[in-house]
């Protein structure tokens, strides 16, 4: 849809062989009959267009090529529940000062401190005292921005915020919840997060207000994008405008048709959601490129987290990278370098984690470090390093260097990867928990059955110390800093608020946990040695020390990268008893010990042996 006051142009990719392609215009979102129907003309191969004369602002429309009406894949505005597209003048949705909105700068993706959040989780609990609980606008409230600034994060990764299917926007008074991994309209903000889902302009304006407010607080906005599948095939914009083009067919799978991954259906199912899109198809690739560009240009988005990125082909991801480079190379891309089932294209051309080194400027979530710290994704009750089990150290070290080749890491002992998959540490997303699993607190309780509260807090802090001293991109799931739990639910995608909401009263109960996270973030942001940003610098300036089981120790040469801390020693001990470690000679300030951080230092030491308390980290900095 391309609007101007004297005419609106409609274009659509649909098969050249279609008998006819129509646009139906409606006076309202609920009008039972169109006020006007326009037959589109074929203007090129698989390309159709038509024009409505006059000022169409405020009208609704659908495309119809004989299979049913839909807003079309590139709808930019929609009515309630995304059933009909809307003609609007996008310029009127810009907040005051939008033209002066500036992207907060970073030198490398390792400078990011990513905070993954769901709009409802963050502000729905009464303790959040939000004026706009569960809405985009909650992230414009000074109180909430102050909180994020105090914690110190500099990027929010907002969980699916495009228009998704499962929450009924016409009945928001009823309790509803979904993560939003069920895409409907990829290029329109979700209605349930706006204050008025029935007015197409409101959600757009409020989304922009959110981005603007975050930017003015120095916080980047990373969008969680889910191009790998649709809510369902038959009702999707893709299928209704170009049947069997955008989805991979089961017949492309190497296995027998009807094998487990396709549930016997016609369509391949790498997403586990009954379909998978075909990024290698030129129009799908073009769609993804245009969609990403649109979010950057129209909404000033600063980065993208690709859901099940392993389903997409590498060529598409590379083209997206190079398109973004032409706009601003600092716009971040990372994603899940895996799929739920094998994709129906050759694995070698998929954007899988193992191929990350072939995709410059694109990162992947690291499950090696995550699972080595807390235990495997597949079994919540299985413990690992945090439980004081030896054998996980090498996988964690691989995460600490940022997934790159490093002489100090014996790849043969790393859990899932025998070859370093990142070319640069900024391609490695370091984390211990995210939305898609138990919270760290729940996980610790599930995997260490007799765990006591004080032990849980010690291990929680130890886990995040590993994340925040990693040379990769540190990633924090919102609420972990206040010991959020989900009452043991791991896949809470449609669980009620009572499971998913963050209870901010926890902040008063455990201020030391918040202060520790804040300290970790501040330490990282103030000291470049923790985020050197290049593989060469990390290989040269990060060394591991010999240690007993369940102890990991390394030094960082801060001087070499211009850090005021000339040498840093980090020691992590998950044993249930203290460990004594020999460190390089020097005069050190102890900035982290026994579950507390003080960047000015607790004490000085010149000893060559230091004692690290049970289940805790010690960090020493030498300034001379
Ligand atoms: Ca929706």
């Amino acid at each position: 849809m391309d609007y101007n006051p004297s005419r609106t142009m409609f274009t659509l990719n649909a098969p050249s062989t279609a008998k006819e392609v129509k646009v139906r215009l409606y006076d309202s979102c609920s009008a039972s009959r169109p006020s006007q129907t326009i037959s589109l003309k074929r203007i090129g191969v698989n390309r159709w267009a038509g024009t409505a004369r006059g000022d169409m602002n405020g009208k609704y429309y659908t495309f119809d090529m004989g299979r049913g009406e839909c807003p079309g894949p590139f709808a930019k505005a929609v009515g309630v529940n995304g059933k009909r597209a809307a003609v609007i003048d996008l310029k009127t949705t810009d907040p005051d000062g939008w033209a002066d909105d500036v992207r907060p700068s970073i030198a490398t993706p390792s400078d990011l401190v990513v905070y993954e959040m769901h709009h409802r989780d963050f502000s729905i609990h009464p303790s959040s005292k939000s004026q706009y609980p569960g809405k985009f606008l909650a992230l414009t409230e000074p109180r909430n921005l102050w909180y994020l600034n105090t914690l110190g994060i500099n990027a929010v990764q907002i969980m699916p915020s495009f228009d998704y299917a499962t929450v009924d926007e016409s009945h928001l008074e009823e309790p509803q919840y979904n993560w939003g991994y069920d895409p409907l309209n990829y290029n329109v903000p979700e209605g349930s997060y706006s204050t008025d889902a029935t007015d197409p302009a409101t959600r757009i304006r409020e989304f922009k207000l959110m981005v603007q407010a975050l930017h003015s607080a120095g916080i980047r906005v990373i969008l969680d994008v889910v191009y790998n599948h649709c809510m369902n095939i038959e009702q999707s914009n893709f299928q209704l405008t170009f049947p069997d083009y955008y989805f991979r067919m089961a017949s492309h799978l190497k296995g027998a048709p009807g094998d487990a991954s396709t549930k016997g259906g016609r369509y391949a199912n790498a997403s586990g959601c009954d379909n998978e899109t075909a990024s290698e198809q030129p129009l799908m690739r073009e769609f993804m490129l245009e969609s990403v560009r649109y979010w950057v240009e129209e909404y000033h988005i600063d980065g993208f987290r690709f859901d099940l990125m392993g389903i997409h082909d590498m060529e598409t991801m590379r083209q997206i990278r190079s398109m973004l480079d032409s706009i601003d190379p600092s716009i971040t891309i990372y994603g899940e370098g895996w799929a739920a089932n094998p994709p129906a294209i050759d694995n070698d051309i998929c954007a899988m984690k193992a191929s990350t080194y072939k995709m410059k400027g694109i990162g992947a979530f690291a499950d090696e470090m995550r699972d080595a710290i807390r235990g495997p994704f597949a079994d919540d009750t299985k413990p690992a390093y945090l439980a004081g089990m030896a054998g996980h150290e090498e996988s964690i070290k691989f995460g600490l260097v940022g997934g790159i080749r490093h002489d100090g890491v014996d790849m043969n002992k790393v859990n899932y990867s025998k070859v370093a998959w990142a070319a640069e540490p900024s391609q490695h997303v370091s984390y211990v928990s995210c939305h898609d699993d138990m919270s760290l607190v729940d996980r610790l309780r599930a995997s260490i059955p007799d765990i006591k509260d004080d032990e849980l807090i010690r291990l929680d802090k130890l886990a995040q110390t590993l994340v925040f001293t990693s040379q990769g991109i540190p990633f924090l799931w919102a609420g972990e800093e206040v010991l959020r739990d989900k009452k043991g639910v791991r896949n809470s995608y449609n669980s009620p608020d009572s499971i998913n909401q963050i209870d901010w009263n926890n902040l008063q109960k455990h201020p030391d946990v918040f202060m520790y996270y804040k300290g970790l973030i501040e330490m990282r942001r103030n000291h470049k040695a923790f985020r050197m940003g290049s593989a060469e610098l990390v290989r040269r300036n990060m060394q591991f020390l010999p240690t007993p089981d369940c102890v990991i120790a390394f030094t960082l040469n801060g001087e070499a990268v211009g850090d005021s801390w000339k040498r840093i020693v980090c020691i992590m001990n998950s044993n249930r008893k203290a460990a004594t470690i020999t460190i390089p000679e020097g005069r050190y300030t102890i900035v982290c010990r026994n579950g507390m951080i003080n960047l000015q230092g607790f004490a000085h030491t010149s000893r060559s042996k230091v004692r690290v308390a049970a289940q805790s980290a010690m960090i020493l900095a030498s300034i001379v």
Side-chain angles (χ1 to χ4, degrees):
M1 182 270 301
D2 176 23
Y3 166 82
N4 85 39
S6 59
R7 58 113 190 99
T8 298
M9 261 181 58
F10 299 94
T11 47
L12 182 72
N13 293 324
S16 294
T17 52
K19 276 206 191 107
E20 55 178 356
V21 180
K22 288 177 176 163
V23 165
R24 300 191 193 281
L25 284 144
Y26 295 89
D27 289 338
S28 73
C29 190
S30 57
S32 55
R33 289 212 173 132
S35 54
Q36 195 182 342
T37 299
I38 299 168
S39 287
L40 301 189
K41 293 201 168 55
R42 197 159 72 78
I43 57 162
V45 179
N46 298 332
R47 189 89 176 139
W48 297 72
T51 302
R53 305 276 160 207
D55 191 347
M56 294 288 128
N57 197 2
K59 305 274 189 203
Y60 291 80
Y61 69 92
T62 58
F63 290 103
D64 186 355
M65 52 89 70
R67 295 177 67 99
E69 295 178 58
C70 71
F74 223 98
K76 294 173 179 167
V78 294
V80 68
N81 283 329
K83 297 265 189 280
R84 285 178 183 167
V87 178
I88 64 167
D89 182 356
L90 278 167
K91 282 198 196 70
T92 64
T93 65
D94 291 351
D96 288 345
W98 187 237
D100 305 320
D101 177 57
V102 181
R103 172 170 296 122
S105 68
I106 51 165
T108 118
S110 304
D111 292 352
L112 292 171
V113 177
V114 179
Y115 189 73
E116 184 198 32
M117 53 162 291
H118 184 283
H119 297 289
R120 279 186 89 84
D121 297 12
F122 184 73
S123 59
I124 206 74
H125 193 279
S127 62
S128 94
K129 298 194 174 75
S130 186
Q131 261 184 284
Y132 301 101
K135 305 293 184 192
F136 294 134
L137 289 182
L139 287 173
T140 66
E141 293 178 54
R143 179 191 167 85
N144 289 333
L145 296 170
W146 175 83
Y147 175 81
L148 296 175
N149 281 152
T150 304
L151 178 59
I153 60 102
N154 60 8
V156 288
Q157 178 191 303
I158 48 175
M159 283 173 65
S161 297
F162 51 78
D163 183 27
Y164 61 79
T166 39
V167 167
D168 181 354
E169 299 173 3
S170 65
H171 287 100
L172 293 176
E173 70 288 355
E174 287 170 13
Q176 296 184 70
Y177 183 94
N178 209 283
W179 281 345
Y181 294 94
D182 47 345
L184 206 55
N185 292 294
Y186 286 102
N187 301 309
V188 187
E190 161 62 14
S192 67
Y193 300 143
S194 77
T195 58
D196 184 359
T198 64
D199 173 33
T202 301
R203 58 179 81 185
I204 297 175
R205 186 178 305 111
E206 290 177 350
F207 192 106
K208 289 176 176 175
L209 281 164
M210 170 187 72
V211 173
Q212 186 181 41
L214 286 163
H215 282 176
S216 62
I219 298 169
R220 290 186 153 221
V221 182
I222 297 172
L223 197 64
D224 191 340
V225 288
V226 190
Y227 298 112
N228 67 81
H229 73 277
C230 286
M231 172 60 184
N232 71 45
I233 292 180
E234 293 310 326
Q235 266 104 61
S236 69
N237 286 304
F238 290 148
Q239 189 75 352
L240 290 174
T241 55
F242 211 134
D244 287 355
Y245 176 88
Y246 292 96
F247 297 97
R248 294 189 189 132
M249 309 301 285
S251 53
H252 293 186
L253 282 167
K254 284 182 184 146
D259 72 4
S261 66
T262 66
K263 293 185 187 165
R266 290 180 65 220
Y267 299 96
N269 179 30
S271 70
C273 302
D274 296 336
N275 64 77
E276 77 188 70
T277 56
S279 56
E280 69 284 6
Q281 290 273 45
L283 291 179
M284 182 64 200
R285 180 175 289 165
E286 180 186 295
F287 175 77
M288 289 171 65
L289 278 151
E290 277 187 30
S291 177
V292 168
R293 177 190 282 277
Y294 179 69
W295 281 105
V296 170
E297 291 181 346
E298 187 65 32
Y299 289 95
H300 302 182
I301 289 296
D302 313 300
F304 296 87
R305 175 263 188 202
F306 280 77
D307 187 65
L308 299 183
M309 185 171 71
I311 292 179
H312 304 314
D313 67 307
M314 275 195 278
E315 179 54 26
T316 299
M317 294 309 302
R318 286 196 198 103
Q319 287 192 21
I320 291 171
R321 179 68 269 170
S322 104
M323 180 270 293
L324 290 177
D325 283 346
S326 71
I327 299 172
D328 179 349
S330 83
I331 298 171
T332 321
I333 305 180
Y334 55 81
E336 292 182 303
W338 47 68
N341 296 308
I345 54 171
D346 195 342
N347 195 65
D348 293 349
I349 65 165
C350 290
M352 293 289 181
K353 183 186 69 179
S355 296
T356 301
Y357 70 96
K358 297 181 200 165
M359 294 183 283
K360 191 168 180 269
I362 298 176
F365 285 91
D367 49 351
E368 292 89 357
M369 177 188 210
R370 180 195 72 191
D371 290 4
I373 295 173
R374 56 144 222 213
F377 181 81
D379 184 353
D380 297 320
T381 63
K382 216 168 169 187
Y385 176 75
L386 292 178
M389 291 171 64
H392 300 283
E393 296 85 350
E394 226 51 36
S395 303
I396 294 173
K397 284 160 68 180
F398 177 59
L400 287 166
V401 301
I404 58 165
R405 181 175 52 75
H406 189 287
D407 287 345
V409 181
D410 181 353
M411 291 304 298
N412 290 317
K413 294 183 185 159
V414 172
N415 48 10
Y416 305 139
S417 298
K418 302 302 169 198
V419 181
W421 48 260
E424 295 294 341
S426 52
Q427 292 180 292
H428 180 281
V429 180
S430 310
Y431 71 122
V432 67
S433 65
C434 69
H435 72 274
D436 194 10
D437 216 344
M438 281 189 172
S439 75
L440 183 53
V441 167
D442 284 342
R443 177 75 193 210
L444 281 162
R445 291 215 172 98
S447 59
I448 309 175
D450 56 347
I451 193 166
K452 300 204 169 50
D453 283 355
D454 68 318
E455 192 182 20
L456 184 146
I457 289 171
R458 297 173 73 80
L459 293 173
D460 183 285
K461 291 174 179 174
L462 177 62
Q464 302 287 8
T465 313
L466 291 161
V467 170
F468 282 96
T469 56
S470 160
Q471 295 288 333
I473 303 173
F475 172 105
L476 175 65
W477 187 41
E480 293 288 18
E481 74 277 15
V482 296
L483 293 183
R484 92 180 274 182
D485 71 73
K486 289 197 294 184
K487 303 185 168 73
V489 180
R490 72 193 306 269
N491 187 8
S492 60
Y493 77 99
N494 65 354
S495 301
D497 289 334
S498 59
I499 299 293
N500 282 303
Q501 66 194 353
I502 301 171
D503 180 352
W504 297 104
N505 291 317
N506 280 6
L507 188 55
Q508 273 78 49
K509 287 184 209 153
H510 302 287
D512 65 307
V513 176
F514 178 86
M515 290 309 289
Y516 190 85
Y517 279 54
K518 176 182 183 317
L520 281 175
I521 294 169
E522 191 179 1
M523 178 178 75
R524 181 178 180 95
R525 290 191 63 184
N526 287 354
H527 293 281
K528 189 164 170 26
F530 294 104
R531 43 185 176 83
M532 296 182 199
S534 106
E536 255 335 287
L537 289 173
V538 174
R539 278 192 275 269
R540 228 180 293 146
N541 298 306
M542 179 172 183
Q543 249 95 52
F544 291 96
L545 304 174
T547 45
D549 283 352
C550 292
V551 180
I552 298 166
F554 59 92
T555 63
L556 301 170
N557 182 350
E559 191 168 20
V561 294
D563 197 320
S564 61
W565 287 357
K566 295 188 174 166
R567 185 195 281 145
I568 301 169
V569 182
C570 300
I571 310 164
M572 326 290 177
N573 174 24
S574 74
N575 288 297
R576 287 182 170 149
K577 57 181 194 318
T580 301
I581 305 297
T582 304
I583 61 170
E585 266 180 44
R587 191 172 141 69
Y588 296 98
T589 304
I590 300 171
V591 294
C592 169
R593 71 174 179 197
N594 208 13
M596 288 183 295
I597 294 177
N598 177 349
L599 300 188
Q600 269 59 59
F602 294 107
H604 299 289
T605 184
S606 304
R607 293 190 185 158
S608 60
K609 285 185 191 299
V610 292
R611 192 167 176 278
V612 183
Q615 299 173 318
S616 73
M618 178 179 271
I619 300 175
L620 307 99
S622 150
I623 50 172
V624 287

